[in-house]
Amino acid sequence: SAVISQKPSRDICQRGTSLTIQCQVDSQVTMMFWYRQQPGQSLTLIATANQGSEATYESGFVIDKFPISRPNLTFSTLTVSNMSPEDSSIYLCSVVEGNLGQPQHFGDGTRLSIL
Amino acid sequence: AQKITQTQPGMFVQEKEAVTLDCTYDTSDPSYGLFWYKQPSSGEMIFLIYQGSYDQQNATEGRYSLNFQKARKSANLVISASQLGDSAMYFCAMREGGTGNQFYFGTGTSLTVIP
């Protein structure tokens, strides 16, 4: 299975600033996703990162707030912009390889706290 | 309707005992996959076990087994011989064959293993 490196693992940021999270995969994968997990909650899909084109955002998430890049099949970034305390969450990138029976594999997550 | 329902917010089990974590799902797609993930307090998502909708036998992976009852649309995770390291959040997820890409996650069950 793919090995996913996600950085940073955690950060504490001031409100109003932006943070970019990186996700590097050790093999080419078709599907990459970004999730948010608020404290004590389940995972919420932010967007599907599309290689070479704009990400596909889920309802409630917009590109201005969560710009995503995916320049190739092994790398993606998620930026959390103009942060507020409500953005304090774990952010996870994930990949899926192949058919229906393949699980998602996740990076170790970025634990973000906004002061 | 919720795609994945986990009705047990928290569970306790004695060390070395078995425990069942409940999961029911809702889909009209005849082709789907069911997954269980473990999330320790450190935050990473660990894939545990997979069951396909056409699989005739219940999936097993070491101490994990999946009690798949298709007619009842349930996919309960059974952990045998619980260990202290099993204390974590457990998420049930589904991937539908029609949509292919998106995973639907339940709200999770927090398992605490008591020594």
PDB file of all heavy atoms in Angstrom, chain A residues 31-43:
ATOM      1  N   MET A  31      -6.495   8.955  -7.002  1.00  0.00           N
ATOM      2  CA  MET A  31      -7.423   9.697  -6.159  1.00  0.00           C
ATOM      3  C   MET A  31      -6.754  10.144  -4.862  1.00  0.00           C
ATOM      4  O   MET A  31      -6.205   9.328  -4.114  1.00  0.00           O
ATOM      5  CB  MET A  31      -8.644   8.826  -5.846  1.00  0.00           C
ATOM      6  CG  MET A  31      -9.530   8.597  -7.066  1.00  0.00           C
ATOM      7  SD  MET A  31     -10.929   7.514  -6.703  1.00  0.00           S
ATOM      8  CE  MET A  31     -10.144   5.916  -6.791  1.00  0.00           C
ATOM      9  N   MET A  32      -6.826  11.433  -4.598  1.00  0.00           N
ATOM     10  CA  MET A  32      -6.353  12.003  -3.336  1.00  0.00           C
ATOM     11  C   MET A  32      -7.472  12.862  -2.755  1.00  0.00           C
ATOM     12  O   MET A  32      -8.180  13.550  -3.498  1.00  0.00           O
ATOM     13  CB  MET A  32      -5.101  12.849  -3.529  1.00  0.00           C
ATOM     14  CG  MET A  32      -3.873  12.044  -3.916  1.00  0.00           C
ATOM     15  SD  MET A  32      -2.395  13.060  -4.077  1.00  0.00           S
ATOM     16  CE  MET A  32      -2.025  13.400  -2.360  1.00  0.00           C
ATOM     17  N   PHE A  33      -7.578  12.805  -1.453  1.00  0.00           N
ATOM     18  CA  PHE A  33      -8.651  13.518  -0.771  1.00  0.00           C
ATOM     19  C   PHE A  33      -8.101  14.280   0.423  1.00  0.00           C
ATOM     20  O   PHE A  33      -7.083  13.896   1.003  1.00  0.00           O
ATOM     21  CB  PHE A  33      -9.719  12.539  -0.260  1.00  0.00           C
ATOM     22  CG  PHE A  33     -10.286  11.632  -1.312  1.00  0.00           C
ATOM     23  CD1 PHE A  33      -9.765  10.357  -1.504  1.00  0.00           C
ATOM     24  CD2 PHE A  33     -11.331  12.033  -2.111  1.00  0.00           C
ATOM     25  CE1 PHE A  33     -10.274   9.505  -2.468  1.00  0.00           C
ATOM     26  CE2 PHE A  33     -11.862  11.196  -3.087  1.00  0.00           C
ATOM     27  CZ  PHE A  33     -11.335   9.929  -3.265  1.00  0.00           C
ATOM     28  N   TRP A  34      -8.830  15.312   0.805  1.00  0.00           N
ATOM     29  CA  TRP A  34      -8.537  16.047   2.022  1.00  0.00           C
ATOM     30  C   TRP A  34      -9.765  16.020   2.917  1.00  0.00           C
ATOM     31  O   TRP A  34     -10.880  16.297   2.468  1.00  0.00           O
ATOM     32  CB  TRP A  34      -8.142  17.490   1.715  1.00  0.00           C
ATOM     33  CG  TRP A  34      -6.774  17.608   1.121  1.00  0.00           C
ATOM     34  CD1 TRP A  34      -6.451  17.726  -0.197  1.00  0.00           C
ATOM     35  CD2 TRP A  34      -5.534  17.623   1.837  1.00  0.00           C
ATOM     36  NE1 TRP A  34      -5.086  17.798  -0.354  1.00  0.00           N
ATOM     37  CE2 TRP A  34      -4.499  17.745   0.885  1.00  0.00           C
ATOM     38  CE3 TRP A  34      -5.194  17.546   3.186  1.00  0.00           C
ATOM     39  CZ2 TRP A  34      -3.159  17.791   1.238  1.00  0.00           C
ATOM     40  CZ3 TRP A  34      -3.860  17.591   3.532  1.00  0.00           C
ATOM     41  CH2 TRP A  34      -2.859  17.714   2.577  1.00  0.00           C
ATOM     42  N   TYR A  35      -9.515  15.698   4.198  1.00  0.00           N
ATOM     43  CA  TYR A  35     -10.576  15.626   5.190  1.00  0.00           C
ATOM     44  C   TYR A  35     -10.281  16.578   6.345  1.00  0.00           C
ATOM     45  O   TYR A  35      -9.131  16.861   6.657  1.00  0.00           O
ATOM     46  CB  TYR A  35     -10.667  14.204   5.780  1.00  0.00           C
ATOM     47  CG  TYR A  35     -11.277  13.159   4.886  1.00  0.00           C
ATOM     48  CD1 TYR A  35     -10.492  12.459   3.981  1.00  0.00           C
ATOM     49  CD2 TYR A  35     -12.629  12.849   4.968  1.00  0.00           C
ATOM     50  CE1 TYR A  35     -11.050  11.480   3.171  1.00  0.00           C
ATOM     51  CE2 TYR A  35     -13.192  11.869   4.163  1.00  0.00           C
ATOM     52  CZ  TYR A  35     -12.392  11.192   3.267  1.00  0.00           C
ATOM     53  OH  TYR A  35     -12.944  10.214   2.470  1.00  0.00           O
ATOM     54  N   ARG A  36     -11.347  16.978   7.007  1.00  0.00           N
ATOM     55  CA  ARG A  36     -11.236  17.695   8.272  1.00  0.00           C
ATOM     56  C   ARG A  36     -11.917  16.862   9.344  1.00  0.00           C
ATOM     57  O   ARG A  36     -12.996  16.284   9.111  1.00  0.00           O
ATOM     58  CB  ARG A  36     -11.901  19.076   8.176  1.00  0.00           C
ATOM     59  CG  ARG A  36     -11.812  19.886   9.466  1.00  0.00           C
ATOM     60  CD  ARG A  36     -12.401  21.258   9.293  1.00  0.00           C
ATOM     61  NE  ARG A  36     -13.856  21.230   9.217  1.00  0.00           N
ATOM     62  CZ  ARG A  36     -14.612  22.307   9.013  1.00  0.00           C
ATOM     63  NH1 ARG A  36     -14.040  23.477   8.838  1.00  0.00           N
ATOM     64  NH2 ARG A  36     -15.923  22.198   8.985  1.00  0.00           N
ATOM     65  N   GLN A  37     -11.323  16.823  10.507  1.00  0.00           N
ATOM     66  CA  GLN A  37     -11.915  16.132  11.636  1.00  0.00           C
ATOM     67  C   GLN A  37     -11.903  17.072  12.830  1.00  0.00           C
ATOM     68  O   GLN A  37     -10.861  17.291  13.453  1.00  0.00           O
ATOM     69  CB  GLN A  37     -11.174  14.840  11.958  1.00  0.00           C
ATOM     70  CG  GLN A  37     -11.862  14.020  13.042  1.00  0.00           C
ATOM     71  CD  GLN A  37     -11.131  12.733  13.359  1.00  0.00           C
ATOM     72  OE1 GLN A  37      -9.927  12.629  13.167  1.00  0.00           O
ATOM     73  NE2 GLN A  37     -11.850  11.743  13.851  1.00  0.00           N
ATOM     74  N   GLN A  38     -13.036  17.642  13.115  1.00  0.00           N
ATOM     75  CA  GLN A  38     -13.152  18.536  14.263  1.00  0.00           C
ATOM     76  C   GLN A  38     -13.136  17.716  15.552  1.00  0.00           C
ATOM     77  O   GLN A  38     -13.450  16.519  15.530  1.00  0.00           O
ATOM     78  CB  GLN A  38     -14.412  19.388  14.129  1.00  0.00           C
ATOM     79  CG  GLN A  38     -14.315  20.337  12.927  1.00  0.00           C
ATOM     80  CD  GLN A  38     -15.552  21.156  12.700  1.00  0.00           C
ATOM     81  OE1 GLN A  38     -16.631  20.610  12.513  1.00  0.00           O
ATOM     82  NE2 GLN A  38     -15.394  22.474  12.697  1.00  0.00           N
ATOM     83  N   PRO A  39     -12.770  18.335  16.659  1.00  0.00           N
ATOM     84  CA  PRO A  39     -12.613  17.589  17.920  1.00  0.00           C
ATOM     85  C   PRO A  39     -13.823  16.734  18.263  1.00  0.00           C
ATOM     86  O   PRO A  39     -14.951  17.225  18.293  1.00  0.00           O
ATOM     87  CB  PRO A  39     -12.400  18.706  18.940  1.00  0.00           C
ATOM     88  CG  PRO A  39     -11.792  19.824  18.153  1.00  0.00           C
ATOM     89  CD  PRO A  39     -12.428  19.765  16.801  1.00  0.00           C
ATOM     90  N   GLY A  40     -13.567  15.462  18.487  1.00  0.00           N
ATOM     91  CA  GLY A  40     -14.621  14.534  18.891  1.00  0.00           C
ATOM     92  C   GLY A  40     -15.597  14.166  17.792  1.00  0.00           C
ATOM     93  O   GLY A  40     -16.619  13.526  18.067  1.00  0.00           O
ATOM     94  N   GLN A  41     -15.285  14.537  16.554  1.00  0.00           N
ATOM     95  CA  GLN A  41     -16.209  14.288  15.444  1.00  0.00           C
ATOM     96  C   GLN A  41     -15.639  13.269  14.466  1.00  0.00           C
ATOM     97  O   GLN A  41     -14.479  12.848  14.580  1.00  0.00           O
ATOM     98  CB  GLN A  41     -16.488  15.597  14.698  1.00  0.00           C
ATOM     99  CG  GLN A  41     -17.049  16.707  15.562  1.00  0.00           C
ATOM    100  CD  GLN A  41     -18.418  16.384  16.100  1.00  0.00           C
ATOM    101  OE1 GLN A  41     -19.288  15.915  15.382  1.00  0.00           O
ATOM    102  NE2 GLN A  41     -18.612  16.620  17.393  1.00  0.00           N
ATOM    103  N   SER A  42     -16.481  12.914  13.505  1.00  0.00           N
ATOM    104  CA  SER A  42     -16.037  12.026  12.437  1.00  0.00           C
ATOM    105  C   SER A  42     -15.318  12.823  11.354  1.00  0.00           C
ATOM    106  O   SER A  42     -15.122  14.030  11.472  1.00  0.00           O
ATOM    107  CB  SER A  42     -17.236  11.290  11.844  1.00  0.00           C
ATOM    108  OG  SER A  42     -16.826  10.326  10.912  1.00  0.00           O
ATOM    109  N   LEU A  43     -14.936  12.150  10.317  1.00  0.00           N
ATOM    110  CA  LEU A  43     -14.240  12.795   9.212  1.00  0.00           C
ATOM    111  C   LEU A  43     -15.246  13.453   8.273  1.00  0.00           C
ATOM    112  O   LEU A  43     -16.270  12.864   7.938  1.00  0.00           O
ATOM    113  CB  LEU A  43     -13.421  11.773   8.424  1.00  0.00           C
ATOM    114  CG  LEU A  43     -12.096  11.329   9.010  1.00  0.00           C
ATOM    115  CD1 LEU A  43     -12.278  10.484  10.240  1.00  0.00           C
ATOM    116  CD2 LEU A  43     -11.276  10.583   7.976  1.00  0.00           C
TER     117      LEU A  43
END
